Amino acid sequence: MNQESTYTENKTISLTEILNSINEIIYVADQNGTLVNIYGKEAVEPGIKNGNYLSKLVSEIFENDENHIHTSSHHRCLNGESFSYEWELKFNSKTYYYQTLLTPIENNRTKVTGITGVVRNISREKALNRYHQEIELMFKTLTNAAKSAIISVNEEGQIEYCNPVTERMFGYEHNELLGQEFLILFHKEDTIFGNDKDNRVIFNKKLSSVENIELLGVKKDGKKIPIECHISLYEIINIKHRVVIIQDISERKLVEEQRKSYQKNLEKKNKEIQDALEYTKKVQDQLVQSEKMASLGALISGIAHEINNPLAFVSSNHNRFGEYFSDLFDLLDKWKDLGFNMKDSDQFSAELSEINLLEEKIDYKFIKDDCEELLKHNFEGIDRIKNIVLQLRGFSHVSDDNAIEVDINKAIEETLTIVWNELKYKATIKKYYGKLPLVQCQVGEIKQIFVNLLVNASHAIETRGEIIIETCRDDTNVIIKISDTGKGMSAEIKRKIFDPFFTTKDVGEGTGLGLWICMSIIQKHHGKLEVESKEGKGSTFKITLPIEFENQ
């Protein structure tokens, strides 16, 4: 008996220790609501101690606000109902949350004789729940604010979450998407999909993630829309999920189509502009050539005069040659007859005397000397004619786009040959040529500039003056200045002289294209054409030409 009692006592003590070792608070109350026993570890912050509340009513332990929920819950449990409820306890300016599970104690006759309560501190759980709720709220706020569809897919490929953009993008209600295979949102022929053993379309599981791939999405009504898809893999508690981010790129595709259309139109316009530029260049070349011909037309009488002068003395010399040759042939005939009659000495003397008289008559010595001088003059005249013709041919030739290396000083001299008759009666030409490198240019066009500027300079001189030609160079350019001592021009005329069709000459005397063409040629050679002029003081045109010419 003592051994059993000891065993029983030891057993009771052991059970109490077990009950007191658990985290929850376990209490027993009788049918009147008086606390009979309290077990479990003390609540750290509230400071509940077993000895303080035994033999007290529940209504005596809690304050008025807290007392009501406990008292009413005990009454429900005494009526035979088992349930749990949550409550709060404020202690040291902190609030703690608890959950109480009430179970009625019944005797053999099923009569309620008391209550067992298990009190559990759920403050940490409450805090975690609030944290999870805040995270969930933040997640929903972020996904709801996103402009892309965001979908979470479980391991089976079913939609477990989607944001409102997904619903609007594909035309589904929220409940219609949850639990559905997310493949219903895609066109099944896209390459990221495969087939399982039952030939069902499935997501290619080899692709753990997909970054910014363009696909076709399918709306609820079957309409296809271009989308850009990003799929990432993530795990929660060893369970794989995929987050699918989808962006509707319909507007982007529309913009791309518009851009392609604009680009096509732009290419068409560029071709039209290029064709127009080529046509303009062709017309401009024609204008340059026309201006050359107009310049030649204006200079033709002077050029004819320059050709006529050497032709005149060549022709005159030929007439004199004819007379000289007739006399010389007579003289030669006499010498021939003399040789035939040399056997008769008396007749020889008479013939020789006759020959001497003929030599005196035709002035043989003068003819001999004059023939040499006439031949020399003829060759000079022929060279002058040849040079003028060559310069005319070079000047009138249609220019091509090939730049060659040109001696600018020589080009000026060749131009002076063409316009000399236009200048010599109006001006004294002064030339100050510097040492220049060969310049890459289109020589025919450059000579056209020289012709226009030299002729204009002579026209600006009313009676008699000077035309000064200067050339020099700097590091990258050659500089040509053509100045005159003519009447100059006003500031208003100076502003307009490079405008097409502007002329100060009388109607029918000028095209108004000369200086405009000069400026066009200079710009084509990436150079500059500048003018300085004062009324009554003359004008200076300054040409700056790059030594190296890049044809564009």
Side-chain angles (χ1 to χ4, degrees):
M1 184 68 178
N2 291 336
Q3 185 178 3
E4 183 180 348
S5 175
T6 301
Y7 171 77
T8 304
E9 184 178 357
N10 290 338
K11 185 178 179 182
T12 302
I13 294 171
S14 177
L15 180 59
T16 300
E17 288 176 349
I18 291 172
L19 292 174
N20 285 334
S21 67
I22 62 177
N23 289 327
E24 287 82 3
I25 298 173
I26 303 173
Y27 68 86
V28 180
D30 61 17
Q31 58 186 353
N32 295 321
T34 302
L35 292 177
V36 177
N37 278 308
I38 298 177
Y39 304 98
K41 291 183 178 179
E42 296 178 350
V44 177
E45 291 296 338
I48 299 175
K49 297 181 185 293
N50 292 346
N52 294 343
Y53 302 109
L54 291 178
S55 302
K56 288 187 177 181
L57 295 172
V58 174
S59 59
E60 295 177 338
I61 297 174
F62 296 98
E63 297 178 357
N64 292 334
D65 292 340
E66 299 164 345
N67 182 45
H68 173 71
I69 188 171
H70 296 292
T71 303
S72 60
S73 297
H74 277 219
H75 283 312
R76 285 176 59 189
C77 187
L78 288 171
N79 289 329
E81 183 181 353
S82 296
F83 63 95
S84 64
Y85 65 95
E86 296 180 2
W87 50 283
E88 300 175 5
L89 179 64
K90 291 182 172 54
F91 186 78
N92 289 342
S93 301
K94 290 185 179 181
T95 301
Y96 297 89
Y97 298 91
Y98 293 91
Q99 183 188 62
T100 299
L101 174 63
L102 296 180
T103 305
I105 301 173
E106 299 176 348
N107 59 15
N108 294 333
R109 295 189 297 275
T110 66
K111 179 180 179 182
V112 178
T113 59
I115 297 171
T116 300
V118 179
V119 180
R120 188 165 63 91
N121 187 339
I122 59 171
S123 298
R124 181 176 177 80
E125 294 178 15
K126 283 284 187 182
L128 286 174
N129 284 339
R130 283 197 303 272
Y131 175 75
H132 291 155
Q133 289 171 358
E134 290 172 358
I135 292 295
E136 184 178 359
L137 178 62
M138 181 176 67
F139 173 76
K140 288 184 177 180
T141 302
L142 289 174
T143 56
N144 289 349
K147 294 182 179 181
S148 301
I150 300 175
I151 305 168
S152 180
V153 180
N154 62 23
E155 204 167 17
E156 301 301 321
Q158 297 171 334
I159 298 174
E160 54 191 1
Y161 169 80
C162 64
N163 66 343
V165 177
T166 309
E167 303 163 25
R168 294 193 298 269
M169 186 181 295
F170 293 96
Y172 288 94
E173 295 293 334
H174 186 75
N175 292 333
E176 291 179 309
L177 289 173
L178 294 182
Q180 289 286 343
E181 290 188 2
F182 88 107
L183 295 178
I184 65 169
L185 304 178
F186 296 92
H187 183 50
K188 303 303 185 295
E189 295 179 5
D190 280 315
T191 56
I192 67 165
F193 303 106
N195 297 82
D196 63 5
K197 60 182 180 180
D198 297 322
N199 203 32
R200 294 178 303 175
V201 178
I202 60 170
F203 180 75
N204 190 343
K205 293 183 178 180
K206 293 181 181 179
L207 297 174
S208 59
S209 63
V210 173
E211 291 188 3
N212 301 331
I213 186 172
E214 292 187 6
L215 305 168
L216 279 178
V218 181
K219 302 180 73 168
K220 182 180 179 180
D221 59 8
K223 181 181 177 181
K224 297 180 179 65
I225 56 172
I227 59 174
E228 187 175 79
C229 184
H230 181 100
I231 302 175
S232 297
L233 186 67
Y234 68 98
E235 291 187 10
I236 298 178
I237 318 175
N238 296 325
I239 298 177
K240 293 181 179 180
H241 303 262
R242 286 186 177 91
V243 60
V244 184
I245 300 175
I246 300 173
Q247 184 177 0
D248 185 346
I249 57 173
S250 299
E251 290 186 6
R252 190 174 81 189
K253 287 293 184 181
L254 179 62
V255 170
E256 287 179 359
E257 290 299 320
Q258 290 175 340
R259 180 185 60 79
K260 290 179 181 178
S261 176
Y262 293 152
Q263 184 174 0
K264 186 176 180 181
N265 290 334
L266 183 61
E267 290 173 354
K268 181 181 178 181
K269 293 293 183 184
N270 283 340
K271 187 177 184 307
E272 292 175 357
I273 292 171
Q274 188 64 32
D275 292 343
L277 287 174
E278 290 178 1
Y279 176 75
T280 302
K281 183 179 181 301
K282 183 178 179 181
V283 171
Q284 187 174 3
D285 291 342
Q286 291 173 348
L287 284 174
V288 171
Q289 189 65 16
S290 297
E291 180 64 18
K292 284 183 181 180
M293 295 300 103
S295 298
L296 283 178
L299 298 172
I300 197 68
S301 60
I303 295 171
H305 181 71
E306 286 299 305
I307 294 176
N308 279 335
N309 281 340
L311 278 178
F313 63 72
V314 168
S315 176
S316 175
N317 290 346
H318 273 76
N319 290 332
R320 292 178 66 181
F321 272 129
E323 295 174 0
Y324 289 161
F325 287 149
S326 176
D327 291 339
L328 288 172
F329 288 148
D330 288 343
L331 181 62
L332 288 172
D333 288 340
K334 289 293 183 180
W335 279 107
K336 184 177 179 183
D337 291 340
L338 177 63
F340 182 77
N341 297 318
M342 281 183 63
K343 296 177 181 179
D344 189 345
S345 60
D346 293 336
Q347 187 176 357
F348 175 77
S349 298
E351 292 290 342
L352 184 60
S353 177
E354 189 176 346
I355 288 171
N356 290 333
L357 289 174
L358 182 59
E359 282 185 3
E360 291 178 2
K361 180 181 178 181
I362 66 175
D363 198 353
Y364 175 77
K365 187 177 183 303
F366 172 79
I367 290 176
K368 181 180 177 182
D369 295 338
D370 197 28
C371 278
E372 292 179 1
E373 191 68 24
L374 291 177
L375 284 172
K376 179 182 176 182
H377 288 169
N378 278 5
F379 283 127
E380 288 177 355
I382 291 169
D383 285 341
R384 284 176 61 185
I385 294 171
K386 179 181 177 182
N387 191 36
I388 291 171
V389 171
L390 286 174
Q391 300 310 320
L392 281 173
R393 186 174 65 180
F395 178 75
S396 62
H397 190 268
V398 177
S399 298
D400 56 26
D401 289 333
N402 296 321
I404 61 173
E405 291 187 334
V406 175
D407 183 340
I408 292 296
N409 292 336
K410 183 180 178 182
I412 295 173
E413 285 295 319
E414 292 172 350
T415 305
L416 285 170
T417 300
I418 297 174
V419 299
W420 177 242
N421 194 72
E422 190 76 18
L423 307 181
K424 65 183 181 181
Y425 300 111
K426 300 287 290 290
T428 300
I429 309 300
K430 292 185 176 181
K431 296 176 282 188
Y432 303 96
Y433 293 153
K435 187 176 181 180
L436 303 180
L438 296 178
V439 176
Q440 290 183 354
C441 63
Q442 294 173 5
V443 62
E445 294 184 345
I446 298 301
K447 286 183 178 179
Q448 172 70 41
I449 297 173
F450 295 156
V451 168
N452 287 347
L453 296 183
L454 288 168
V455 171
N456 285 351
S458 71
H459 291 172
I461 298 172
E462 296 178 333
T463 54
R464 185 75 186 179
E466 293 180 349
I467 295 176
I468 302 99
I469 304 171
E470 303 171 83
T471 62
C472 61
R473 65 163 295 176
D474 58 21
D475 292 339
T476 57
N477 305 286
V478 297
I479 299 166
I480 306 104
K481 291 183 180 179
I482 298 177
S483 305
D484 64 70
T485 57
K487 58 188 176 181
M489 65 187 84
S490 66
E492 182 179 358
I493 292 177
K494 182 180 172 182
R495 285 194 299 269
K496 297 178 180 179
I497 58 172
F498 295 113
D499 294 344
F501 306 109
F502 175 78
T503 180
T504 58
K505 298 177 182 178
D506 294 336
V507 176
E509 292 187 6
T511 62
L513 293 173
L515 288 177
W516 175 75
I517 287 174
C518 289
M519 179 62 79
S520 299
I521 293 171
I522 289 296
Q523 289 175 344
K524 177 181 177 181
H525 285 73
H526 312 297
K528 292 190 295 184
L529 177 58
E530 303 165 280
V531 60
E532 294 180 2
S533 182
K534 289 185 180 180
E535 286 189 279
K537 299 293 184 180
S539 303
T540 297
F541 284 83
K542 178 183 176 182
I543 302 168
T544 303
L545 273 179
I547 297 171
E548 300 289 336
F549 171 57
E550 294 182 5
N551 193 9
Q552 293 183 353

